[in-house]
Amino acid sequence: MISIDSIIMIAVMMLTIVIGFAGYRVSKSFTGFMFANRTLGPWLLSFSIMATYFSAASFLSGGGATYLYNLGFGAWLTAWHVIGAVLLWILVADKLYEYVMKTKSTSIPELIGNLYDSTLARMIASTVIATLFTFYLAGVYKGGAIVLDAQLGIGYGYALLLMALPVIIYLMLGGMRSVVINNLFLGSLMLIAAALTFTYVMGSIGGPINGLLKISNMTILGKPGSLWLKLDGMGPQPAMEKGLVPALIMSVTFSIGMAQIALPNLLFQFYAAKDSKAISRGRIIGPILISLYAMLVFSLGIYAHLILDPRLSPQQISQLMKDSDWVIPSTVMLIVPEGIRGLILSAPIAASLSTIAATVITVSNTVIRDIVSLNRSLEEKTLTRLSKATVAIFALLPLPIALIDNKLIIDIVSASFGTIFACFIGPVVLGLYWRKSSREGAIASMVAGAVTGIVWYIYMYRATWIHPTVPATAISLALFVGLSILKMGRQ
């Protein structure tokens, strides 16, 4: 017999299809399909960007990380998210919207092409977006499908397909309008689930301060609990042996939290803003939403030791520390009653759906505007039909990748998120402010960012314990600035 929790999770997914009809009227034109006729106000924009940015990994990996890492990981992960959100809304959003309206740009690669008067830069940007986001989506699908399979017992492959179907349907029905209205619903669900999880965990341990005191006095797998309260304390064993835990924590949390200021799937949504006032008002709402979710979720893992460890064997604790994605779901299963439990466990699925939809429409827009219709004129109806077909293709394309158990593929999926940020931080964010930046700098920056991010993750990450986003960003920015200055000196 199907449980109440399972019914709730299925109902959430089905409801996204119903909500998808809200965008049907405006999706009949290309502008309506891709940009919701530019009608998005501050609340829709803010919730959509929050829900897009936080995938299932935020609830699973972010929430469970401090079960292995020390509390510093959760604190710095929250801090960098707040800083990144503020910078996105204050430094990037206005400038981006202003330039898009001025140049009538319809995609991120087209914006780059206009900034640097370069078709090659535009083509490289579109290749990076289409390729790396496809790999990134495989990881997003995986997070939601694992939870869905664990709850429904339908098998991982079928869970992946079940994740894709509602996204395809509501994307084809209503395009961007359906994405952002669904993200309002899914983002609200994520916040409610985060608040409920925090409340139940704190109620079980007697509050955060009491919980920290208990942890400092306990022993975890033969190690003093106080290690979980120090930045240079607990972490992956190889990083501890080399004294690199603080470097690992700072590089990982910086990479995740700051990435939002240059991710095309977030920036693209500002194209659909109603006006500059929507962005001005979103400056307050957007960072608050991201800060709330981060503060509620990112430190829960450390407190799970007080709930899980007394019920688990040392072998089970050790396994959870290797696969901390299961820490929060396991905790929820123990302390939350049926029904509410289903609502909470819907959060990683909601987070995945919202991220997948917004990313797929960004990739689809790039493929249509910067590859298919580049240097050719297509009728409005043709563009709209192609867009609807393309969202279905790119919603399905990551599924085979998510099924492949190959180390190289897994590494590329893992490296893709931060690598995308490294590729666009210079050409987009700095380029909007620095009009003397050069096409050579932009091209070299994107190519070097992509290559460095993936190669570092595969060959250097586990040797240095420095997240690949850091070297990729450093090299990308150095080339962007250096080559631009060099060109200025020659003029």
Side-chain angles (χ1 to χ4, degrees), residues 69 248 252 456-468:
Y69 292 93
L248 172 61
V252 171
W456 186 279
Y457 191 93
I458 295 171
Y459 296 107
M460 297 296 293
Y461 179 40
R462 291 169 185 85
T464 63
W465 292 101
I466 295 174
H467 196 275

Side-chain angles (χ1 to χ4, degrees), residues 166-481:
V167 172
I168 292 171
I169 294 170
Y170 76 72
L171 267 174
M172 293 184 73
L173 275 173
M176 177 64 85
R177 185 75 182 175
S178 292
V179 170
V180 295
I181 294 176
N182 259 310
N183 283 3
L184 174 62
F185 161 61
L186 296 170
S188 300
L189 176 60
M190 290 162 61
L191 282 172
I192 291 168
L196 286 170
T197 306
F198 184 85
T199 301
Y200 275 101
V201 169
M202 292 307 148
S204 296
I205 64 172
I209 303 301
N210 187 51
L212 292 178
L213 288 172
K214 289 179 179 178
I215 289 166
S216 67
N217 293 321
M218 72 185 296
T219 300
I220 302 170
L221 293 181
K223 295 183 174 66
S226 58
L227 280 177
W228 274 258
L229 306 180
K230 301 175 182 177
L231 184 63
D232 60 348
M234 190 58 191
Q237 192 61 38
M240 291 179 69
E241 291 170 359
K242 297 177 181 179
L244 294 174
V245 172
L248 172 61
I249 287 174
M250 293 303 293
S251 65
V252 171
T253 56
F254 168 83
S255 303
I256 298 171
M258 290 297 286
Q260 58 192 300
I261 69 174
L263 289 177
N265 58 344
L266 302 184
L267 301 181
F268 181 62
Q269 295 181 57
F270 290 115
Y271 283 49
K274 184 177 182 180
D275 49 35
S276 58
K277 289 181 181 179
I279 293 173
S280 296
R281 291 167 183 164
R283 286 179 194 160
I284 298 171
I285 304 167
I288 287 174
L289 293 177
I290 286 176
S291 302
L292 272 175
Y293 184 82
M295 287 188 289
L296 288 169
V297 170
F298 288 157
S299 294
L300 289 179
I302 191 171
Y303 297 109
H305 279 291
L306 299 171
I307 298 168
L308 295 176
D309 291 14
R311 298 172 169 89
L312 300 176
S313 68
Q315 292 76 17
Q316 290 172 317
I317 295 171
S318 180
Q319 183 57 43
L320 264 184
M321 291 176 74
K322 292 177 183 177
D323 188 9
S324 58
D325 285 0
W326 286 106
V327 169
I328 301 304
S330 299
T331 304
V332 169
M333 293 296 290
L334 280 173
I335 64 174
V336 180
E338 189 176 22
I340 297 176
R341 186 170 60 209
L343 190 66
I344 291 174
L345 293 178
S346 295
I349 296 169
S352 291
L353 292 175
S354 56
T355 302
I356 291 165
T359 305
V360 165
I361 200 166
T362 302
V363 175
S364 173
N365 174 263
T366 293
V367 170
I368 296 300
R369 296 301 302 172
D370 303 297
I371 298 175
V372 175
S373 64
L374 184 65
N375 298 326
R376 69 178 76 175
S377 179
L378 296 177
E379 292 182 0
E380 181 87 0
K381 286 184 179 180
T382 303
L383 282 173
T384 307
R385 288 171 184 166
L386 284 172
S387 298
K388 293 188 176 186
T390 308
V391 295
I393 292 169
F394 278 95
L396 292 170
L397 198 56
L399 300 190
I401 300 173
L403 287 168
I404 298 173
D405 187 18
N406 176 279
K407 185 180 182 300
L408 179 60
I409 297 296
I410 293 170
D411 283 345
I412 293 173
V413 169
S414 300
S416 59
F417 178 79
T419 300
I420 294 167
F421 161 73
C423 290
F424 293 104
I425 180 67
V428 176
V429 178
L430 290 187
L432 285 169
Y433 283 90
W434 188 22
R435 295 304 169 86
K436 293 292 184 180
S437 53
S438 69
R439 75 184 72 180
E440 293 81 4
I443 290 168
S445 178
M446 289 186 287
V447 173
V451 173
T452 304
I454 293 170
V455 171
W456 186 279
Y457 191 93
I458 295 171
Y459 296 107
M460 297 296 293
Y461 179 40
R462 291 169 185 85
T464 63
W465 292 101
I466 295 174
H467 196 275
T469 306
V470 175
T473 303
I475 292 171
S476 175
L477 285 176
L479 285 171
F480 180 77
V481 174

